[in-house]
Amino acid sequence: MQETNLSTGLTTAEVQKRQAAGQQNTAPKPLTRTVGQILRANIITLFNIINLLLGVLIATTGSYKNLFFLVVVVVNTVIGTFQEIRSKRQVDKVSLLARRPLTVRRDGSDQKIDQEDAVLDDLLVLRRGDSVPVDGIVRETAGIEVDESQITGESLPIRKSVGDPMTSGSFLVSGTATVQVTAVGNASFVHKLAAEAKTEKRNNNSQLLDTINQIIRFITYALVPLGVLLFARSIWRGRTVNYAILRTSAAMVGMIPEGLVLLTSVALAVGAMNLGKRRVLVRSLTAIEALARVDILCLDKTGTITTGNLSVTKVVAMTGFTNDQVQQWLAQAIYTINDDNQTAMALKHYFAKPTELAPALHITPFSSARKWSGLGLANESILFGAPEFMFHGLPDHISREINDAAKDGYRVLAVGRSAGPMTNDTIPADLTLVGLVYIADELRKEATGTFDYLRTQGVTIKVISGDNPLTVANVAARAGIPNANTAIDMSTVGEDADFDHLVATYTVFGRVTPTQKRSLVKAYQRAGHTVGMTGDGVNDILALRESNCAIVMATGSEAAQGIADFVLLDANFDAMIFVLNEGRRVINNIERVASLFLVKTIYSISLSLLSVIFSLEYPFIPIQLTPISALTVGIPTFFLALQPDYRPIARKFYENVMATAAPGALCVIIYVLVIGGLKQWLGFSADTTGTLTVLLTGLVGFTALMAVSQPFDRFKVLLVVVLMAAFAAIFIIPAGRAFFSLTSIWTVRNLLVWIPLTATIPVLFFLLRNFLSNQIAPRIAWRS
């Protein structure tokens, strides 16, 4: 490898030469599917293929109007695909804004470039929290530690020096470095393995989609065998082949919940689009659902409860030392170590850079596990960080001073000095406390209102921070978080504590290490909770990855953003309210529209079984099901799926869906059997009984629609009225009756039959609904 000049980096000509040779990195994988993938996923589905095959069979009968059901299928697919593509464009636009540029040294200056513009031999300037996007070798550093857990599984940070390799997929835990690129694109490790490890989340399954897919699998298993049996039964009874095809096709079309999976995907995609408009980047559609189910939200204090805008308020020198000495030592340390975390930036803003920096023999950059950083010079060592991690057995009056400051909400840093040089990452035995630094953090203006709203919605707030627990408890109390006084110092319990007991006892956790954060999240999950985690630093990454839903501020580290489910681009924590509500809207609406799809599916399967077992006529042909499917299911569900509905998730999907689907389907079955009996008793023709069956089935569908549309608003009332008017017009207008193979029902005898039956529909529906809710629903509730 030819070494790139550290001062200048590559020249423009050298970059162009490598680009021409194909030695350029590749763009990050897009967060959304391509238009082609969306089209394929929405068009080439099992149910669409079955519908097409049924269409071909129906076409052979010459009854072309019975192909009209395909129009509903096509319209559903077109609308759904359009909505998903529209949502994709919004998400892509937002994700483009969220992309972090790389810092490279070219032509003698540090420049920002897109990740795909990095070339072989580029010099990358990496800082704490940055992900390593390509393979490289360390060319310059004052001391760094790298987390390679996503690659090796080893959770402990690895110290890197000049000449050590850097593997893509890792990230810097501490320090800064200049890294020369040695492999890009497909040649880099991240494209071979680490990309999958980086984006992997253990809890990213969609309960909603899993439940719907279970239903779909059951329908798929029943569809073909029932169709074959129904067709064979019709032929065995002496019906013509064309007759058997039409009746069997109608049964199979009725069993297919066309559009349910598509509508679910569209609802999630529209949710992502709506969040994008609020400048919230959604990295996973299933995360929208996950956050809606969250009942425990774990917060890191800095950047979530507070703004992260730290400021030094005062410096206190210990007895025997002066403020000037403390400031001189601390300035030497912070500018030589040159960390760029929020605390270091606040210190740099307060202390002027010395005109001359003494050469460092050893540097220990800050890490969340150590909670201190240090500098070894020729004749002394200077350390600063959390007092309790640097010193043991401080005098009582100093401990009281630190505790009092922490209770008042200040972050307190200890400054220590040793007379000897520090040569490794251990605290010198003769370290002396020379001063304390008081740092204040600003409370987010929107925090209190956001926490109040989350609490009313059944979300419990827990604070998990690396700061002093007294400081964290003070800030949490100011933000209005309940039980903020139940705080614990996690530095006193170790990594093998009883975390199940801790999460049941405390609300505020201070001095938490990264591995303890992860253990706390896992403990909440073991207790049966769905856990959301917010954070913005490398110390949050293990917990973010373990959580059911990870939320990161855009101001946070690149590594934290890389595994986030949501990125708040404007770092506005009050956006959490909208994110939570959007997830609830999706789940509640899909739950209600799934009921409408399954009414038709259940009665179609049941009537098919009855027809096969008892040698009955299947009551519909495809064209007669079309207005029922379109007006009571297809059209209203697309509107209802996008309505506001921010109720807490009931966690009883099967029970809630079947509460409407089962009584609706049973009503249809009962009325079909009643009309079949009246046919024999009153001598109705097949056309009349078919028309009455379509009428009553449609009215049952509208009853179910009104049941799931509650609470009503003007839009829902208008929607139902318009759809019912369209349904009525089919029976009133002769052309409508002719097209849908219906006959007139306006004779006195027919009116005396269907008007009383129509009046019983809402009564029967709600009686069955109440009975099934009390008797059957509890038996299936465990499945939810």
Side-chain angles (χ1 to χ4, degrees):
M1 179 193 77
Q2 183 177 355
E3 292 189 347
T4 303
N5 187 293
L6 278 172
S7 300
T8 63
L10 295 179
T11 65
T12 300
E14 289 172 327
V15 171
Q16 292 173 347
K17 180 179 178 181
R18 284 162 174 75
Q19 290 173 339
Q23 297 173 334
Q24 188 171 349
N25 198 32
T26 53
K29 184 180 178 181
L31 301 178
T32 58
R33 297 187 293 186
T34 66
V35 172
Q37 289 171 329
I38 292 173
L39 290 172
R40 284 193 297 274
N42 291 343
I43 295 173
I44 306 175
T45 68
L46 173 63
F47 287 153
N48 280 353
I49 292 171
I50 292 174
N51 279 323
L52 184 61
L53 292 175
L54 291 176
V56 172
L57 289 173
I58 292 171
T60 63
T61 69
S63 182
Y64 299 115
K65 70 178 182 180
N66 278 290
L67 295 173
F68 193 67
F69 76 95
L70 290 175
V71 174
V72 178
V73 175
V74 171
V75 170
N76 274 348
T77 303
V78 169
I79 293 174
T81 304
F82 169 78
Q83 282 279 32
E84 189 169 350
I85 292 174
R86 178 168 167 259
S87 301
K88 164 195 163 54
R89 288 173 177 164
Q90 175 65 38
V91 173
D92 287 347
K93 182 170 68 175
V94 174
S95 62
L96 187 62
L97 295 174
R99 280 172 57 178
R100 281 284 185 94
L102 301 178
T103 301
V104 298
R105 189 167 299 149
R106 290 179 180 175
D107 294 319
S109 65
D110 290 353
Q111 307 173 15
K112 300 287 188 182
I113 64 169
D114 289 333
Q115 184 170 315
E116 60 265 34
D117 292 333
V119 298
L120 196 66
D121 295 324
D122 250 330
L123 293 181
L124 303 182
V125 181
L126 301 177
R127 297 177 174 83
R128 178 178 183 267
D130 285 347
S131 294
V132 183
V134 291
D135 297 346
I137 188 169
V138 180
R139 290 289 312 283
E140 184 180 48
T141 185
I144 58 170
E145 290 175 312
V146 178
D147 187 314
E148 295 184 345
S149 60
Q150 299 168 28
I151 303 164
T152 65
E154 174 57 55
S155 60
L156 295 177
I158 300 170
R159 195 168 184 91
K160 298 279 187 177
S161 304
V162 173
D164 288 341
M166 296 281 281
T167 307
S168 51
S170 58
F171 62 89
L172 269 66
V173 174
S174 63
T176 61
T178 303
V179 176
Q180 182 169 337
V181 177
T182 58
V184 293
N186 293 330
S188 65
F189 185 80
V190 74
H191 282 271
K192 300 173 183 176
L193 178 63
E196 290 82 7
K198 177 178 179 181
T199 56
E200 179 183 0
K201 291 257 305 146
R202 299 174 187 172
N203 305 296
N204 60 353
N205 290 333
S206 167
Q207 297 180 38
L208 182 64
L209 290 175
D210 286 347
T211 303
I212 290 174
N213 285 331
Q214 288 177 8
I215 296 170
I216 297 302
R217 279 195 295 272
F218 170 78
I219 295 169
T220 303
Y221 295 146
L223 189 67
V224 176
L226 272 178
V228 171
L229 288 173
L230 196 59
F231 180 83
R233 188 71 166 176
S234 294
I235 296 298
W236 181 77
R237 296 183 66 220
R239 301 298 186 183
T240 65
V241 171
N242 287 353
Y243 181 95
I245 288 176
L246 290 178
R247 297 287 168 168
T248 302
S249 298
M252 296 181 72
V253 168
M255 294 178 206
I256 297 173
E258 63 260 17
L260 178 56
V261 176
L262 173 62
L263 197 60
T264 304
S265 300
V266 168
L268 290 169
V270 170
M273 179 185 70
N274 291 339
L275 291 173
K277 292 177 180 178
R278 296 293 185 106
R279 293 183 60 77
V280 176
L281 175 61
V282 182
R283 294 189 177 275
S284 166
L285 291 183
T286 57
I288 298 175
E289 175 191 350
L291 182 57
R293 299 184 187 278
V294 162
D295 58 351
I296 292 285
L297 184 60
C298 299
L299 308 176
D300 181 25
K301 175 182 75 69
T302 305
T304 51
I305 303 177
T306 60
T307 63
N309 296 327
L310 306 181
S311 59
V312 176
T313 59
K314 66 177 177 177
V315 178
V316 178
M318 297 294 101
T319 304
F321 304 96
T322 66
N323 270 23
D324 287 343
Q325 285 179 307
V326 174
Q327 293 191 32
Q328 180 183 347
W329 286 323
L330 193 51
Q332 173 76 40
I334 62 177
Y335 283 102
T336 304
I337 297 171
N338 203 31
D339 272 331
D340 64 348
N341 55 59
Q342 291 163 323
T343 303
M345 298 307 293
L347 292 170
K348 288 178 181 179
H349 182 75
Y350 188 82
F351 297 107
K353 184 176 182 179
T355 54
E356 185 177 350
L357 294 174
L361 298 181
H362 179 81
I363 287 177
T364 300
F366 177 82
S367 78
S368 302
R370 272 191 301 271
K371 301 193 185 300
W372 61 267
S373 54
L375 168 66
L377 303 174
N379 299 315
E380 63 181 349
S381 299
I382 306 164
L383 287 74
F384 64 96
E388 57 268 47
F389 280 76
M390 292 172 54
F391 299 96
H392 299 284
L394 287 172
D396 289 344
H397 71 282
I398 294 177
S399 295
R400 281 197 301 272
E401 183 176 352
I402 293 172
N403 286 339
D404 289 345
K407 288 178 181 177
D408 291 336
Y410 290 103
R411 176 186 299 181
V412 181
L413 296 183
V415 184
R417 180 181 177 274
S418 168
M422 183 176 67
T423 57
N424 55 38
D425 297 333
T426 57
I427 297 174
D430 63 340
L431 187 68
T432 301
L433 178 67
V434 299
L436 299 174
V437 180
Y438 286 51
I439 297 177
D441 200 350
E442 180 184 27
L443 188 70
R444 285 187 178 275
K445 294 179 181 179
E446 70 275 11
T448 302
T450 302
F451 296 144
D452 286 343
Y453 178 82
L454 293 174
R455 184 175 64 254
T456 62
Q457 296 300 306
V459 179
T460 303
I461 306 295
K462 305 290 181 179
V463 186
I464 304 177
S465 174
D467 280 353
N468 186 301
L470 297 176
T471 305
V472 181
N474 174 277
V475 172
R478 285 163 53 202
I481 295 176
N483 304 315
N485 60 320
T486 57
I488 182 172
D489 186 340
M490 293 296 289
S491 65
T492 64
V493 302
E495 303 289 340
D496 299 322
D498 183 355
F499 286 92
D500 294 323
H501 170 72
L502 292 176
V503 299
T505 308
Y506 298 100
T507 294
V508 173
F509 304 85
R511 294 302 181 207
V512 188
T513 65
T515 53
Q516 285 178 329
K517 285 191 177 186
R518 177 175 60 186
S519 297
L520 289 170
V521 169
K522 293 170 72 173
Y524 282 120
Q525 291 170 335
R526 284 196 299 273
H529 296 290
T530 303
V531 182
M533 176 73 198
T534 70
D536 61 356
V538 293
N539 57 321
D540 302 313
I541 287 175
L542 296 178
L544 289 168
R545 186 184 295 116
E546 190 66 40
S547 67
N548 300 89
C549 186
I551 305 103
V552 174
M553 304 292 177
T555 53
S557 71
E558 181 186 359
Q561 289 191 44
I563 53 102
D565 296 307
F566 298 96
V567 179
L568 309 183
L569 296 182
D570 290 333
N572 288 334
F573 189 67
D574 57 348
M576 286 289 299
I577 295 175
F578 190 78
V579 177
L580 177 72
N581 285 339
E582 194 63 22
R584 289 179 171 180
R585 183 192 64 77
V586 170
I587 297 177
N588 288 329
N589 285 336
I590 292 303
E591 186 176 276
R592 74 168 74 207
V593 301
S595 302
L596 300 179
F597 281 102
L598 294 183
V599 167
K600 182 168 68 75
T601 297
I602 294 171
Y603 74 65
S604 295
I605 292 175
S606 301
L607 291 175
S608 297
L609 282 170
L610 291 173
S611 298
V612 169
I613 295 171
F614 298 106
S615 191
L616 302 176
E617 295 286 357
Y618 190 79
F620 306 106
I621 58 176
I623 191 62
Q624 294 173 337
L625 279 177
T626 301
I628 298 172
S629 299
L631 299 177
T632 70
V633 182
I635 294 173
T637 54
F638 263 106
F639 288 103
L640 292 178
L642 305 178
Q643 290 294 296
D645 186 349
Y646 306 134
R647 294 169 298 151
I649 304 304
R651 301 175 186 272
K652 298 178 180 180
F653 184 85
Y654 278 110
E655 184 177 355
N656 292 340
V657 167
M658 296 306 291
T660 299
L666 277 174
C667 280
V668 171
I669 294 167
I670 289 170
Y671 285 118
V672 167
L673 295 176
V674 167
I675 292 171
L678 291 176
K679 176 184 177 181
Q680 302 297 327
W681 181 41
L682 299 176
F684 282 150
S685 66
D687 289 340
T688 299
T689 55
T691 301
L692 291 175
T693 301
V694 171
L695 173 66
L696 294 176
T697 301
L699 293 176
V700 170
F702 281 113
T703 304
L705 174 59
M706 288 186 282
V708 302
S709 296
Q710 297 178 27
F712 283 110
D713 55 28
R714 291 180 182 179
F715 174 78
K716 291 176 184 175
V717 171
L718 178 63
L719 176 66
V720 173
V721 168
V722 169
L723 292 174
M724 291 189 72
F727 188 71
I730 293 171
F731 293 87
I732 296 171
I733 300 172
R737 294 199 300 267
F739 182 79
F740 290 105
S741 296
L742 304 173
T743 190
S744 176
I745 54 171
W746 305 106
T747 65
V748 173
R749 186 176 66 164
N750 290 343
L751 289 171
L752 292 175
V753 171
W754 69 261
I755 289 180
L757 287 177
T758 297
T760 64
I761 289 176
V763 176
L764 180 61
F765 177 86
F766 287 105
L767 284 175
L768 287 172
R769 194 182 197 194
N770 183 62
F771 172 78
L772 293 174
S773 296
N774 293 331
Q775 302 297 324
I776 300 176
R779 302 179 186 179
I780 64 171
W782 63 271
R783 300 188 64 184
S784 301

